[in-house]
Amino acid sequence: MDFIKELDGGFSVIENLKVSGAREGKYGVTIILSPNSTASAVFTSNKVVAAPVKYTKNVLKKGIISAVFVNSGNANCFTGKQGLEDCETLVNLVSKDLDLPSDEIAISSTGVIGREMPIDIISKVAYDSISKLGDKPENSLAAAKAIMTTDTFPKECAVEVTLTTGEIVKIAGITKGSGMIAPNMGTMLSFIVTDAVISAVEINRALKKAADISFNMIVVDGDESTNDTCLMMANGASGVDVIHDDKLDPNFQEALNYLCINLAKKMARDGEGATKFIEANVCGAKNFDDAKLAAKAIISSSLFKSAVFGGDPNWGRIVSAIGYSGCDLNPDIVTIAIADDSDEVDLVRKGEILAFEDTPYLERAEKIMQSKNVIVNIDMHLGDGQATAWGCDLTYDYVKINAEYTT
C-alpha cells in the first residue's frame, strides 16, 4: 500500500499534541494532551470491569476528550466505590494543573487487580509526568515506557496516509500488553491520535473495524483483561476531513488498520516469557467468521503453543484446534503448511498426510520450528473467507512470571 508511509517519532508526528511519561518503581503515569479532540473507544467485554473503564465510558458520552491519564502498577479494579473516587481524584488533579474541563479527561489503568490505588504515589508521579509534557520523539517514547508492566519493550507506531483526494493526514499510537491478553473489542491499553477531522461516531466505526482484525486477533494466554481499552482521538490539526460524501476515506481506514495491526503484533511478539512469534493465516474458509475462529483457535491452543516452544511440528494439534473452533471443516480437503521467513512446507495437502516420520517434509518442518517466527498457513478449500491471527509460544518463563506476579 504505497499510500501509507510509516514514520519515526511516535506521537511527535502529530501537531497540537503533547505527551509525557514518568515512573517511580513499578508505578508509571502517562499523560496525553490533545485539547478539544473528538474521541471514541472500545473496551473489554469482561463482566468484571475496572473503575477507569466505567469512568471513561461515561466521559466519552460527550464525544470530546482533551486529555488522557494512564497509570501502570495498579489496575484499580474490583475496588468498589473507592476506585471511582480515586479516578475522580486523579482526573481533578489533571484538570486543575492543565486547566481543562474534568468531563473531558479520560482515565485508564493497568496492573494488579483487587488492590486499592496508592493514590499518594500515583499523584506524585502524575505531577512529575505533567511537568515533562512535550512534543518530541523522546516524549512519545517516555509515554510508551511509563505504561509498561511486564512488557520488555515500548510499543509505538506512526503513519502518514495519502487519502484518495490526495490530501495527507497522520495517525500515531502507543500500546502496552504482554500478558493477560485475549482481547474482545479492545486490547490491553492502546491510545491513538490522528490529526484528521472526523466525528466521534465515525471514529467508533473505524476503530471497531480496525480492532476486529488487529487487537481482537491476538492471543498470548487466553485471559481477557478487566481493563482492556483502545481509545482514539482526532484533534483536527491537519484541517483535513476524512469523510467524503458521508463515507470514510478508504485509505484512512486502511492506514488505521495498518497501525493497529502493527501495535497488535508487537504485543503478541512481546508475550510474557515468549521466545517465538506465531502467525496463523487461514484462507478458503466458508466465511470471515469461520476463518477468524480457526485462526484464533490455532494461536490460542496451549498444546500447539507448547509445541512451538519445543520446536515440535506436531500438526495434529493444529488440526485439532481447528476442529474444536466451531468453524466448518472438511478434514478430507484441508491443507496445513508451516513456514518461517525463508521456507514453507506442506504437512497435509488437501487431506493427504505428507509429513510422516523420516520424510523430507517432516525434516523441513523440524527446521522451520526452530525459527523465531513460525507461520501456520491453512487452506480450508470451502469458500473465500480469510483471516490472520498472531500469538506466541508458551514457555516455562510465562509460568514463572505469573506465579510471582503480585510478589
Side-chain angles (χ1 to χ4, degrees), residues 133-337:
L133 278 164
D135 57 7
K136 301 294 189 293
E138 53 265 34
N139 298 115
S140 180
L141 185 60
K145 286 182 175 180
I147 57 175
M148 291 167 56
T149 50
T150 55
D151 305 60
T152 64
F153 62 85
K155 303 163 184 70
E156 56 182 352
C157 182
V159 297
E160 176 184 274
V161 53
T162 302
L163 305 177
T164 56
T165 60
E167 297 169 296
I168 293 175
V169 297
K170 298 172 182 175
I171 316 172
I174 61 172
T175 195
K176 68 83 52 188
S178 186
M180 203 175 184
I181 295 180
N184 188 4
M185 290 313 298
T187 180
M188 280 296 289
L189 294 183
S190 189
F191 306 96
I192 301 167
V193 182
T194 178
D195 61 6
V197 175
I198 178 173
S199 70
V201 171
E202 292 295 341
I203 288 175
N204 188 258
R205 290 174 183 165
L207 189 58
K208 282 184 175 179
K209 288 180 180 178
D212 205 32
I213 61 172
S214 60
F215 301 126
N216 289 344
M217 294 302 289
I218 58 172
V219 174
V220 168
D221 47 23
D223 284 283
E224 183 186 346
S225 172
T226 55
N227 292 57
D228 288 353
T229 299
C230 179
L231 188 149
M232 181 173 173
M233 307 163 69
N235 66 14
S238 68
V240 177
D241 197 326
V242 293
I243 303 296
H244 314 299
D245 299 323
D246 296 324
K247 293 182 180 180
L248 179 66
D249 191 294
N251 287 10
F252 183 84
Q253 183 70 64
E254 287 295 328
L256 180 60
N257 294 350
Y258 178 96
L259 179 129
C260 290
I261 288 172
N262 179 291
L263 293 173
K265 289 170 71 174
K266 285 176 179 174
M267 279 193 287
R269 195 175 294 279
D270 193 28
E272 288 176 341
T275 64
K276 297 177 183 178
F277 175 73
I278 306 171
E279 178 176 292
N281 301 300
V282 175
C283 69
K286 187 176 180 180
N287 50 46
F288 169 71
D289 289 339
D290 269 16
K292 183 177 178 180
L293 285 172
K296 289 194 74 171
I298 293 167
I299 54 102
S300 299
S301 168
S302 295
L303 285 175
F304 180 62
K305 291 158 74 73
S306 299
V308 172
F309 174 57
D312 179 12
N314 189 341
W315 58 267
R317 294 178 174 180
I318 299 173
V319 75
S320 174
I322 299 172
Y324 65 61
S325 70
C327 73
D328 279 354
L329 169 68
N330 182 347
D332 294 332
I333 60 173
V334 70
T335 294
I336 302 171

Side-chain angles (χ1 to χ4, degrees), residues 87-107:
C87 286
E88 291 180 4
T89 297
L90 295 169
V91 163
N92 288 334
L93 180 158
V94 176
S95 173
K96 183 178 180 180
D97 208 87
L98 296 179
D99 193 24
L100 297 171
S102 60
D103 64 353
E104 294 180 8
I105 300 173
I107 186 168

Side-chain angles (χ1 to χ4, degrees), residues 100-146:
L100 297 171
S102 60
D103 64 353
E104 294 180 8
I105 300 173
I107 186 168
S108 191
S109 302
T110 181
V112 179
I113 294 170
R115 304 287 175 87
E116 280 195 13
M117 182 77 79
I119 202 72
D120 291 342
I121 298 175
I122 297 295
S123 296
K124 177 184 175 183
V125 182
Y127 283 120
D128 187 20
S129 186
I130 291 172
S131 71
K132 296 176 179 177
L133 278 164
D135 57 7
K136 301 294 189 293
E138 53 265 34
N139 298 115
S140 180
L141 185 60
K145 286 182 175 180

